[in-house]
């Protein structure tokens, strides 16, 4: 029997897909897609990939493999079992599940090319058809990048560090008991070392420290391990309202109102840093403060942010103990425990930890994002509370946005085509 394989056959035999299920993404991609399908299905949008740090080797070298992974991604469909799971979440509506039943990502809307030593990845087309590319593309780039660097020693180091975190939780979190419990979640899909490693981390935490580990943003893993899927909205949801016909000054209120009408009490954690915390709180009046369960921090000083949130609730005479602050900006467990110690006697807390859970194996993680840069032919922007995290590709619009919200010029990152 002839067992000789051609190079092409060997390449196929060696091919391991990064994404095997369309459920293997962040919950908030679905919870944002549903209101966009219902209220703005004709939106046209562009998402662009950016690597903010220097990779271990030129990312342009993995362009071909990234393209091949995206080609495979575009063959995937939701299974009936997956749709049954999603449909069982009370905030998912039947028409949205029917949309997902016929949904697939389409290659015509995404392009991958080398940009010097880097990668240029652009998803452009109907927003309800391109927005799900983001998390999958980031997971693909990460895993393909780290496959070259992966060694048995790296995984052993990852397991050693994971056990250290479990020990820290068993000792530190129990010693720090406050009025409200310490709870943290896995937010690590987009920057994970690999899909297999994220699953090992989630399964280990769910088994070893279930009193602290309360869920994951990865819907596939939430389904598999009986965990709570975690997530509400991301920057792209609020940014979209900068380009949908509402007055720019009112885009945050329009986005929050649209969310309230869609979910009517479910998924009540609002993201605060699209144009900074101060501008957000100016729009987050008593109406929204009562309707939303809490706020999520994703840039700027977390202590200052938390104190501003508590002061805002106090001014509005809202009982802070009935609300929650979710911290999710570059956290590790040590930082999360410090924030818990400061705030958990005054308000409920939660901590979404990404890179430090799913890519802490002794190798330098990639700092990659894939952000919405335009919608309906208009630029959109995020004016971050952290220097260097502001993203826009139109200086004129950025200046106008700052003027409207009376925000001083900061350290912006302009994405160029």
């Amino acid at each position: 029997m002839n067992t000789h394989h051609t190079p092409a056959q060997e390449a196929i035999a060696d091919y391991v897909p990064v994404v095997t299920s369309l459920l293997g993404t962040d919950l908030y991609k679905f919870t944002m897609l549903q209101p966009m399908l219902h209220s703005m299905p004709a939106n046209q949008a562009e998402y662009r990939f950016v690597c903010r740090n220097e990779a271990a080797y030129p990312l342009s070298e993995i362009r071909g493999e990234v393209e091949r992974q995206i080609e495979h991604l575009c063959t995937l469909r939701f299974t009936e079992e997956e749709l049954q799971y999603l449909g069982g979440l009370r905030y998912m509506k039947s028409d949205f599940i029917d949309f997902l039943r016929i949904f697939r990502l389409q290659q015509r809307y995404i392009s991958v090319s080398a940009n010097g030593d880097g990668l240029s990845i652009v998803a452009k087309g109907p927003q309800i058809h391109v927005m799900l590319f983001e998390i999958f593309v980031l997971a693909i780039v990460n895993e393909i990048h780290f496959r070259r660097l992966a060694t048995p020693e790296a995984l052993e180091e990852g397991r050693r560090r994971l056990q250290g975190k479990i020990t820290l939780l068993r000792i530190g979190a129990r010693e720090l008991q406050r009025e409200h419990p310490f709870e943290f979640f896995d937010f690590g899909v987009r920057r994970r070392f690999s899909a297999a490693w994220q699953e090992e981390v989630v399964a280990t935490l769910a088994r070893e420290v279930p009193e602290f580990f309360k869920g994951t943003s990865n819907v596939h893993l939430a389904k598999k391990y009986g965990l709570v899927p975690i997530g509400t909205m991301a920057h792209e949801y609020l940014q979209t309202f900068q380009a949908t016909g509402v007055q720019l000054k009112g885009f945050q209120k329009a986005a929050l109102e649209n969310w309230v009408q869609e979910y009517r009490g479910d998924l009540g954690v609002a993201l605060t840093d699209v144009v900074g915390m101060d501008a957000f709180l100016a729009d987050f009046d008593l109406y929204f403060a009562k309707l939303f369960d809490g706020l999520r921090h994703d840039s700027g000083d977390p202590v200052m942010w938390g104190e501003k949130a508590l002061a805002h609730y106090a001014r509005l005479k809202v009982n802070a103990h009935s609300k929650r602050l979710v911290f999710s900006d570059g956290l590790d467990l040590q930082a999360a425990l410090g924030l818990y110690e400061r705030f958990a006697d005054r308000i409920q807390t939660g901590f979404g930890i990404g890179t430090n859970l799913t890519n802490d194996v002794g190798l330098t993680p990639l700092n990659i994002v894939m952000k919405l840069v335009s919608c309906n032919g208009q630029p959109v922007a995020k004016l971050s509370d952290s220097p260097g995290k502001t993203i826009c590709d139109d200086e004129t619009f950025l200046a106008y946005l700052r003027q409207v919200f009376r925000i001083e010029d900061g350290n912006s990152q302009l994405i160029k085509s």
Side-chain angles (χ1 to χ4, degrees):
M1 182 178 177
N2 183 6
T3 58
H4 175 71
H5 296 295
T6 67
Q9 288 171 325
E10 288 175 357
I12 292 170
D14 291 342
Y15 177 70
V16 179
V18 171
V19 181
T20 56
S21 164
L22 290 180
L23 216 56
T25 189
D26 283 328
L27 176 69
Y28 67 25
K29 298 306 287 193
F30 297 119
T31 59
M32 292 185 293
L33 179 56
Q34 180 169 269
M36 288 182 181
L37 175 69
H38 288 155
S39 58
M40 50 194 95
N43 275 6
Q44 298 289 311
E46 179 176 344
Y47 292 75
R48 216 173 299 166
F49 171 88
V50 176
C51 182
R52 291 170 172 156
N53 65 345
E54 191 170 340
Y57 57 86
L59 289 182
S60 57
E61 294 179 12
I62 62 172
R63 172 195 167 184
E65 180 61 11
V66 169
E67 285 184 310
R68 186 159 67 145
Q69 291 283 346
I70 290 174
E71 185 177 346
H72 173 265
L73 172 68
C74 292
T75 67
L76 297 177
R77 305 286 285 264
F78 289 98
T79 68
E80 283 304 313
E81 184 184 358
E82 290 170 339
L83 293 171
Q84 186 175 2
Y85 173 81
L86 280 175
L89 303 174
R90 71 179 186 183
Y91 43 81
M92 292 298 183
K93 297 180 170 61
S94 61
D95 69 310
F96 179 59
I97 300 302
D98 289 336
F99 169 76
L100 294 181
R101 184 168 280 112
I102 60 172
F103 178 86
R104 67 178 176 84
L105 288 161
Q106 299 181 51
Q107 267 191 284
R108 73 181 78 184
Y109 297 131
I110 190 165
S111 63
V112 183
S113 59
N115 181 12
D117 284 344
L119 274 178
S120 173
I121 306 174
V122 178
K124 186 176 183 180
Q127 192 169 18
I128 60 172
H129 287 286
V130 300
M131 63 182 291
L132 288 189
F133 272 116
E134 176 204 359
I135 307 299
F136 295 127
V137 166
L138 297 176
I140 285 168
V141 171
N142 260 309
E143 185 153 346
I144 298 306
H145 169 261
F146 282 109
R147 278 181 185 175
R148 285 197 191 182
L149 308 175
T151 62
E153 291 75 22
L155 279 178
E156 285 309 308
E157 176 64 14
R159 292 185 181 111
R160 187 187 68 78
R161 294 185 182 197
L162 181 58
Q163 285 305 313
K165 290 166 188 154
I166 289 169
T167 301
L168 175 64
L169 284 165
R170 286 176 172 160
I171 297 170
R174 285 174 183 156
E175 287 180 350
L176 280 177
Q177 284 188 359
R178 292 293 187 265
E179 181 164 345
H180 298 289
F182 178 79
E183 298 180 345
F184 77 104
F185 327 105
D186 158 47
F187 278 10
V189 183
R190 67 184 61 218
R191 294 184 184 153
R192 67 193 182 192
F193 179 72
S194 69
W197 177 240
Q198 184 186 21
E199 180 164 352
E200 181 174 336
V201 168
V202 166
T204 302
L205 292 170
R207 182 180 67 249
E208 299 290 333
V209 284
E211 67 269 43
F212 305 121
F213 183 63
K214 295 300 182 181
T216 174
S217 65
N218 185 324
V219 185
H220 169 70
L221 293 182
K223 173 181 178 292
K224 185 170 183 178
Y225 290 97
L227 296 166
V228 177
I230 304 291
T232 56
M233 65 183 75
H235 299 96
E236 66 184 289
Y237 172 76
L238 287 106
Q239 285 175 273
T240 295
F241 285 81
Q242 297 172 0
T244 53
V246 301
Q247 190 178 29
L248 186 59
K249 180 71 174 169
F251 87 89
Q252 292 188 115
K253 286 185 175 180
L256 295 174
E257 181 63 33
N258 182 266
W259 193 268
V260 166
Q261 295 305 320
E262 179 72 33
Y263 290 113
R264 308 193 69 78
D266 270 321
L267 302 172
V269 174
L271 182 63
T272 66
D273 72 329
V274 174
V275 284
M277 182 61 160
D278 293 340
F280 177 85
L281 292 179
D283 287 339
F284 197 70
D285 59 13
L286 181 61
Y287 171 75
F288 289 125
K290 285 190 171 183
L291 289 174
F292 279 87
D293 297 322
L295 305 171
R296 179 163 76 90
H297 170 266
D298 201 49
S299 65
D301 184 309
V303 171
M304 189 181 303
W305 176 88
E307 294 296 348
K308 284 182 178 181
L310 282 164
H312 189 68
Y313 282 130
R315 273 194 303 274
L316 296 175
K317 295 182 170 55
V318 170
N319 180 6
H321 290 284
S322 69
K323 303 298 179 182
R324 181 189 289 267
L325 299 182
V326 178
F327 297 86
S328 64
D329 181 28
L331 290 180
D332 57 27
L333 274 172
Q334 197 74 54
L337 288 169
L339 291 166
Y340 171 75
E341 184 177 12
R342 181 174 184 112
F343 291 110
D345 278 335
R346 295 182 281 165
I347 193 168
Q348 298 173 57
T349 59
F351 302 92
I353 304 179
T355 309
N356 190 258
L357 280 184
T358 63
N359 205 341
D360 187 20
V361 298
L363 300 171
T364 302
L366 292 176
N367 187 352
I368 56 177
V369 295
M370 190 165 180
K371 293 296 186 185
L372 177 68
V373 294
S374 71
C375 183
N376 298 328
Q378 298 177 224
V380 299
K382 177 180 78 164
L383 292 175
S384 174
D385 283 324
S386 292
K389 287 182 76 173
T390 294
I391 290 183
C392 184
D393 67 352
D394 188 305
E395 293 184 46
T396 303
F397 178 71
L398 205 56
Y400 177 51
L401 193 62
R402 284 200 176 95
Q403 182 182 2
V404 167
F405 287 96
R406 299 191 174 114
I407 297 169
E408 292 183 9
D409 194 356
N411 181 8
S412 303
Q413 177 180 347
L414 290 175
I415 299 180
K416 295 297 185 184
S417 303

